[in-house]
Amino acid sequence: MTVRMKCLKCSHSFNSRTLSVGDENVPQQQECPKCSGQSVEMLPDWRPVRSWNYPLEIVDGHMIVDVEEKRCLLDTGSISCITAEAEPLVEFAGKKWHATQKYMGVMLKDISKEVGVELDAMIGNNALSALSWMPRMDEGVVSVWHSAPKDWTDDMVWKQIRRSVVPIITVRQYGRNHSAVIDTGAKVCYAKRHIWDGVAGNIINTTDFFPTPKGIELFDVPMKLTALGLGGAIRKQRDKSGAPTGALENVQLPEVVLPLGVLPEHLELILEGFSADFILGPEVLQAIPMAFELGEGRVYFKGGVH
């Protein structure tokens, strides 16, 4: 069990695992990780913070998690979960989520063939928008909570997103703001063709696929390199000791340099419905760590703030 602790010296809050001693749960960590103070207390409104940790593997650009020995594609770009089973349910993070057997008209086995992994399910946005989760790309783990840990707002910066059937975030390129769909199921990041007007030269060409009612469509993708700004965000102000206060302040997130694909013209209609110009796939999560609380309309960022 995890409980919430507070340092009486610097007011820093932190999580601590507990040990069962008789009939009581005793916090293991009795020293503040910030100032090494020995005087700490359990917050009176603490609540258990249950988390699930799933092994994560990037396969040909796709985020594949191992959920109880079932291989699942994490896909915020899919409105619902998809399953290969007869029962229209997918189990994830201790709950069962409604699922369908087709995605954009194709079966899961067809998607598996293109991804290069035999998938048991796709975890779609009906589940991911109801949970809080953090891909730890460098560790190969995705951590999931039913509600966001309290230290997220203390230790990270965040920005509001536009809530829709898929998450939409504001990015900045060449001095202009654009809307971008966060699609963890995408193989690469994309930009509409007009974004690349006047930008010459491709760094590489790759191939990708898209499900259609007529089957899987394969297409070539010219890739270009660009700097993409993540814009403004919010964080808690700090007092002289470094502890967070109740006040908020605006900060700027850094630019990230990413290879982006030129989205085929006939697929731009997908973004038209969201008034978006970009698709951000898992590549951006490798450039800057993020955590998601989509139900509250927030994306959190770790480090790199200026």
Short mmCIF file of all heavy atoms in Angstrom, two decimals, residues 241-277:
data_model
loop_
_atom_site.label_atom_id
_atom_site.label_comp_id
_atom_site.label_asym_id
_atom_site.label_seq_id
_atom_site.Cartn_x
_atom_site.Cartn_y
_atom_site.Cartn_z
N SER A 241 12.27 27.52 0.33
CA SER A 241 12.80 26.19 0.66
C SER A 241 12.67 25.22 -0.51
O SER A 241 13.17 24.10 -0.45
CB SER A 241 12.07 25.62 1.88
OG SER A 241 10.73 25.28 1.56
N GLY A 242 11.96 25.65 -1.56
CA GLY A 242 11.74 24.79 -2.71
C GLY A 242 10.45 24.01 -2.66
O GLY A 242 10.14 23.25 -3.58
N ALA A 243 9.66 24.17 -1.59
CA ALA A 243 8.38 23.46 -1.46
C ALA A 243 7.31 24.16 -2.29
O ALA A 243 7.31 25.39 -2.41
CB ALA A 243 7.95 23.41 0.00
N PRO A 244 6.38 23.41 -2.90
CA PRO A 244 5.33 24.02 -3.71
C PRO A 244 4.35 24.81 -2.85
O PRO A 244 4.03 24.41 -1.72
CB PRO A 244 4.66 22.83 -4.38
CG PRO A 244 4.95 21.67 -3.48
CD PRO A 244 6.29 21.94 -2.88
N THR A 245 3.89 25.93 -3.38
CA THR A 245 2.86 26.73 -2.71
C THR A 245 1.54 26.51 -3.43
O THR A 245 1.45 25.75 -4.38
CB THR A 245 3.23 28.22 -2.74
OG1 THR A 245 3.11 28.70 -4.10
CG2 THR A 245 4.65 28.46 -2.24
N GLY A 246 0.50 27.22 -3.00
CA GLY A 246 -0.81 27.07 -3.65
C GLY A 246 -0.93 27.90 -4.91
O GLY A 246 -1.86 27.70 -5.69
N ALA A 247 0.01 28.84 -5.14
CA ALA A 247 -0.08 29.71 -6.30
C ALA A 247 0.46 29.02 -7.55
O ALA A 247 1.32 28.14 -7.46
CB ALA A 247 0.70 31.00 -6.04
N LEU A 248 -0.03 29.45 -8.71
CA LEU A 248 0.39 28.88 -9.98
C LEU A 248 1.16 29.91 -10.79
O LEU A 248 0.96 31.12 -10.62
CB LEU A 248 -0.82 28.39 -10.79
CG LEU A 248 -1.71 27.34 -10.13
CD1 LEU A 248 -2.91 27.04 -11.03
CD2 LEU A 248 -0.94 26.07 -9.83
N GLU A 249 2.03 29.45 -11.68
CA GLU A 249 2.76 30.33 -12.57
C GLU A 249 2.86 29.71 -13.95
O GLU A 249 2.79 28.49 -14.10
CB GLU A 249 4.16 30.62 -12.02
CG GLU A 249 5.05 29.40 -11.90
CD GLU A 249 6.42 29.75 -11.34
OE1 GLU A 249 6.72 30.95 -11.19
OE2 GLU A 249 7.20 28.82 -11.06
N ASN A 250 3.03 30.58 -14.96
CA ASN A 250 3.17 30.12 -16.33
C ASN A 250 4.64 29.86 -16.66
O ASN A 250 5.52 30.60 -16.22
CB ASN A 250 2.61 31.17 -17.30
CG ASN A 250 1.12 31.35 -17.16
OD1 ASN A 250 0.38 30.38 -17.00
ND2 ASN A 250 0.65 32.59 -17.20
N VAL A 251 4.89 28.80 -17.41
CA VAL A 251 6.24 28.47 -17.85
C VAL A 251 6.18 28.09 -19.33
O VAL A 251 5.10 27.88 -19.89
CB VAL A 251 6.84 27.30 -17.04
CG1 VAL A 251 7.03 27.67 -15.59
CG2 VAL A 251 5.95 26.05 -17.16
N GLN A 252 7.34 28.04 -19.95
CA GLN A 252 7.42 27.65 -21.34
C GLN A 252 8.08 26.28 -21.46
O GLN A 252 9.12 26.03 -20.86
CB GLN A 252 8.23 28.66 -22.15
CG GLN A 252 7.47 29.95 -22.47
CD GLN A 252 6.29 29.72 -23.39
OE1 GLN A 252 6.40 29.01 -24.39
NE2 GLN A 252 5.16 30.31 -23.06
N LEU A 253 7.45 25.40 -22.20
CA LEU A 253 8.04 24.10 -22.48
C LEU A 253 9.02 24.23 -23.65
O LEU A 253 8.89 25.13 -24.48
CB LEU A 253 6.94 23.09 -22.84
CG LEU A 253 6.02 22.72 -21.68
CD1 LEU A 253 4.75 22.06 -22.20
CD2 LEU A 253 6.73 21.79 -20.71
N PRO A 254 10.00 23.35 -23.72
CA PRO A 254 11.03 23.48 -24.76
C PRO A 254 10.54 23.04 -26.13
O PRO A 254 9.49 22.42 -26.27
CB PRO A 254 12.13 22.54 -24.26
CG PRO A 254 11.37 21.47 -23.53
CD PRO A 254 10.22 22.19 -22.85
N GLU A 255 11.33 23.35 -27.13
CA GLU A 255 11.12 22.78 -28.45
C GLU A 255 11.74 21.39 -28.48
O GLU A 255 12.72 21.11 -27.80
CB GLU A 255 11.78 23.64 -29.53
CG GLU A 255 11.05 24.92 -29.85
CD GLU A 255 11.62 25.60 -31.08
OE1 GLU A 255 12.79 25.35 -31.43
OE2 GLU A 255 10.88 26.38 -31.71
N VAL A 256 11.15 20.52 -29.28
CA VAL A 256 11.73 19.20 -29.53
C VAL A 256 11.93 19.04 -31.02
O VAL A 256 11.10 19.49 -31.82
CB VAL A 256 10.84 18.06 -28.97
CG1 VAL A 256 10.81 18.09 -27.46
CG2 VAL A 256 9.42 18.16 -29.51
N VAL A 257 13.03 18.47 -31.40
CA VAL A 257 13.33 18.23 -32.81
C VAL A 257 12.89 16.81 -33.16
O VAL A 257 13.36 15.84 -32.55
CB VAL A 257 14.82 18.43 -33.11
CG1 VAL A 257 15.12 18.12 -34.57
CG2 VAL A 257 15.24 19.86 -32.77
N LEU A 258 11.98 16.71 -34.11
CA LEU A 258 11.37 15.43 -34.42
C LEU A 258 11.35 15.18 -35.93
O LEU A 258 11.20 16.12 -36.72
CB LEU A 258 9.91 15.38 -33.93
CG LEU A 258 9.64 15.42 -32.44
CD1 LEU A 258 8.15 15.61 -32.21
CD2 LEU A 258 10.11 14.13 -31.78
N PRO A 259 11.45 13.92 -36.34
CA PRO A 259 11.12 13.57 -37.71
C PRO A 259 9.60 13.44 -37.84
O PRO A 259 8.97 12.72 -37.06
CB PRO A 259 11.82 12.23 -37.93
CG PRO A 259 11.91 11.63 -36.56
CD PRO A 259 11.98 12.77 -35.58
N LEU A 260 9.02 14.17 -38.77
CA LEU A 260 7.57 14.12 -39.00
C LEU A 260 7.29 13.67 -40.42
O LEU A 260 7.99 14.06 -41.36
CB LEU A 260 6.92 15.49 -38.77
CG LEU A 260 6.44 15.80 -37.35
CD1 LEU A 260 7.61 16.07 -36.44
CD2 LEU A 260 5.49 17.00 -37.34
N GLY A 261 6.26 12.86 -40.57
CA GLY A 261 5.86 12.39 -41.88
C GLY A 261 4.91 13.37 -42.55
O GLY A 261 4.16 14.09 -41.88
N VAL A 262 4.94 13.39 -43.88
CA VAL A 262 4.00 14.20 -44.65
C VAL A 262 2.73 13.37 -44.82
O VAL A 262 2.73 12.34 -45.48
CB VAL A 262 4.59 14.57 -46.02
CG1 VAL A 262 3.60 15.44 -46.81
CG2 VAL A 262 5.92 15.30 -45.85
N LEU A 263 1.65 13.84 -44.20
CA LEU A 263 0.40 13.07 -44.24
C LEU A 263 -0.17 13.07 -45.65
O LEU A 263 -0.31 14.14 -46.27
CB LEU A 263 -0.62 13.68 -43.27
CG LEU A 263 -1.86 12.84 -42.97
CD1 LEU A 263 -1.49 11.58 -42.22
CD2 LEU A 263 -2.87 13.66 -42.16
N PRO A 264 -0.49 11.90 -46.20
CA PRO A 264 -1.10 11.85 -47.55
C PRO A 264 -2.36 12.70 -47.62
O PRO A 264 -3.14 12.75 -46.66
CB PRO A 264 -1.41 10.36 -47.74
CG PRO A 264 -0.45 9.66 -46.85
CD PRO A 264 -0.28 10.56 -45.65
N GLU A 265 -2.56 13.35 -48.74
CA GLU A 265 -3.66 14.29 -48.88
C GLU A 265 -5.01 13.66 -48.60
O GLU A 265 -5.87 14.26 -47.95
CB GLU A 265 -3.63 14.91 -50.28
CG GLU A 265 -4.60 16.05 -50.48
CD GLU A 265 -4.42 16.72 -51.82
OE1 GLU A 265 -3.60 16.25 -52.63
OE2 GLU A 265 -5.12 17.73 -52.06
N HIS A 266 -5.21 12.43 -49.06
CA HIS A 266 -6.53 11.82 -48.89
C HIS A 266 -6.79 11.41 -47.44
O HIS A 266 -7.93 11.09 -47.08
CB HIS A 266 -6.69 10.62 -49.82
CG HIS A 266 -5.82 9.45 -49.48
ND1 HIS A 266 -4.46 9.44 -49.69
CD2 HIS A 266 -6.11 8.24 -48.93
CE1 HIS A 266 -3.94 8.29 -49.31
NE2 HIS A 266 -4.93 7.54 -48.85
N LEU A 267 -5.74 11.42 -46.60
CA LEU A 267 -5.94 11.11 -45.18
C LEU A 267 -6.07 12.36 -44.31
O LEU A 267 -6.32 12.26 -43.12
CB LEU A 267 -4.77 10.25 -44.67
CG LEU A 267 -4.64 8.85 -45.27
CD1 LEU A 267 -3.47 8.10 -44.65
CD2 LEU A 267 -5.94 8.06 -45.09
N GLU A 268 -5.92 13.53 -44.94
CA GLU A 268 -6.04 14.75 -44.15
C GLU A 268 -7.45 14.98 -43.61
O GLU A 268 -7.64 15.71 -42.65
CB GLU A 268 -5.60 15.96 -45.00
CG GLU A 268 -4.10 15.98 -45.25
CD GLU A 268 -3.64 17.30 -45.83
OE1 GLU A 268 -4.50 18.17 -46.09
OE2 GLU A 268 -2.42 17.47 -46.01
N LEU A 269 -8.42 14.34 -44.24
CA LEU A 269 -9.80 14.48 -43.76
C LEU A 269 -9.96 13.98 -42.33
O LEU A 269 -10.85 14.42 -41.60
CB LEU A 269 -10.76 13.73 -44.69
CG LEU A 269 -10.99 14.35 -46.08
CD1 LEU A 269 -11.88 13.43 -46.91
CD2 LEU A 269 -11.62 15.73 -45.95
N ILE A 270 -9.08 13.05 -41.92
CA ILE A 270 -9.13 12.54 -40.55
C ILE A 270 -8.92 13.69 -39.57
O ILE A 270 -9.60 13.79 -38.53
CB ILE A 270 -8.04 11.47 -40.33
CG1 ILE A 270 -8.21 10.33 -41.32
CG2 ILE A 270 -8.04 10.96 -38.90
CD1 ILE A 270 -7.03 9.39 -41.35
N LEU A 271 -7.98 14.58 -39.90
CA LEU A 271 -7.66 15.69 -39.00
C LEU A 271 -8.63 16.86 -39.14
O LEU A 271 -8.76 17.66 -38.22
CB LEU A 271 -6.23 16.17 -39.25
CG LEU A 271 -5.11 15.19 -38.88
CD1 LEU A 271 -3.75 15.83 -39.11
CD2 LEU A 271 -5.23 14.75 -37.43
N GLU A 272 -9.30 16.95 -40.28
CA GLU A 272 -10.22 18.07 -40.49
C GLU A 272 -11.30 18.10 -39.41
O GLU A 272 -11.69 19.16 -38.93
CB GLU A 272 -10.86 17.98 -41.87
CG GLU A 272 -9.93 18.24 -43.03
CD GLU A 272 -9.45 19.68 -43.08
OE1 GLU A 272 -10.10 20.55 -42.47
OE2 GLU A 272 -8.41 19.92 -43.72
N GLY A 273 -11.79 16.92 -39.03
CA GLY A 273 -12.86 16.86 -38.02
C GLY A 273 -12.43 17.35 -36.66
O GLY A 273 -13.26 17.72 -35.82
N PHE A 274 -11.11 17.39 -36.42
CA PHE A 274 -10.58 17.86 -35.13
C PHE A 274 -9.93 19.24 -35.26
O PHE A 274 -9.36 19.74 -34.28
CB PHE A 274 -9.54 16.87 -34.59
CG PHE A 274 -10.06 15.47 -34.45
CD1 PHE A 274 -9.54 14.44 -35.21
CD2 PHE A 274 -11.08 15.18 -33.56
CE1 PHE A 274 -10.00 13.14 -35.08
CE2 PHE A 274 -11.56 13.89 -33.42
CZ PHE A 274 -11.02 12.87 -34.18
N SER A 275 -10.02 19.84 -36.45
CA SER A 275 -9.36 21.13 -36.72
C SER A 275 -7.89 21.08 -36.32
O SER A 275 -7.36 22.01 -35.69
CB SER A 275 -10.08 22.27 -35.96
OG SER A 275 -11.43 22.35 -36.36
N ALA A 276 -7.23 19.99 -36.66
CA ALA A 276 -5.84 19.77 -36.28
C ALA A 276 -4.95 19.68 -37.51
O ALA A 276 -5.40 19.31 -38.60
CB ALA A 276 -5.71 18.50 -35.44
N ASP A 277 -3.67 20.02 -37.32
CA ASP A 277 -2.70 19.97 -38.41
C ASP A 277 -1.62 18.91 -38.18
O ASP A 277 -0.86 18.60 -39.10
CB ASP A 277 -2.00 21.32 -38.57
CG ASP A 277 -2.92 22.41 -39.11
OD1 ASP A 277 -3.75 22.09 -39.98
OD2 ASP A 277 -2.80 23.57 -38.66
#
